[in-house]
Amino acid sequence: IITGFIFGLLIYMRIYPIIYLPAFILHIISTNNMQYNKSIISWISFIPAIWFIFSVLISTILLISISYYYYGEEYLTHALLYHAAKIF
């Protein structure tokens, strides 16, 4: 969970770490598949990945909300919408 919060902080600081998120999730799932017996339901191996995703989302949304509270539309324009404008 702590790693998820740190990763959320990294996403907040710069947008590009989000491309590494699928690799982290696949690693967490594959590591946990080795720990459980094959007879146990396979969805159990997804629980740590779900916690990781949850902590990333919570920390990123929390940090964006705090910045939006203090800086308003200017923050959204310069920090987030800037990246969307480059794509379109």
Side-chain angles (χ1 to χ4, degrees), residues 82-88:
Y82 168 77
H83 296 288
K86 287 185 353 184
I87 294 172
F88 301 111

Side-chain angles (χ1 to χ4, degrees), residues 14-80:
R14 295 282 177 217
I15 198 75
Y16 67 85
I18 203 164
I19 64 174
Y20 299 115
L21 190 59
F24 285 140
I25 293 170
L26 289 174
H27 177 71
I28 291 170
I29 291 171
S30 68
T31 303
N32 287 324
N33 275 337
M34 291 178 205
Q35 291 177 355
Y36 295 112
N37 189 351
K38 296 297 180 187
S39 64
I40 297 177
I41 301 172
S42 64
W43 64 269
I44 292 175
S45 64
F46 289 103
I47 293 173
I50 292 170
W51 277 110
F52 179 75
I53 293 169
F54 179 73
S55 60
V56 167
L57 287 174
I58 292 298
S59 62
T60 304
I61 290 170
L62 180 68
L63 292 168
I64 289 172
S65 299
I66 291 170
S67 296
Y68 179 72
Y69 177 77
Y70 284 110
Y71 301 108
E73 290 291 324
E74 184 178 356
Y75 169 74
L76 289 180
T77 303
H78 293 289
L80 299 177

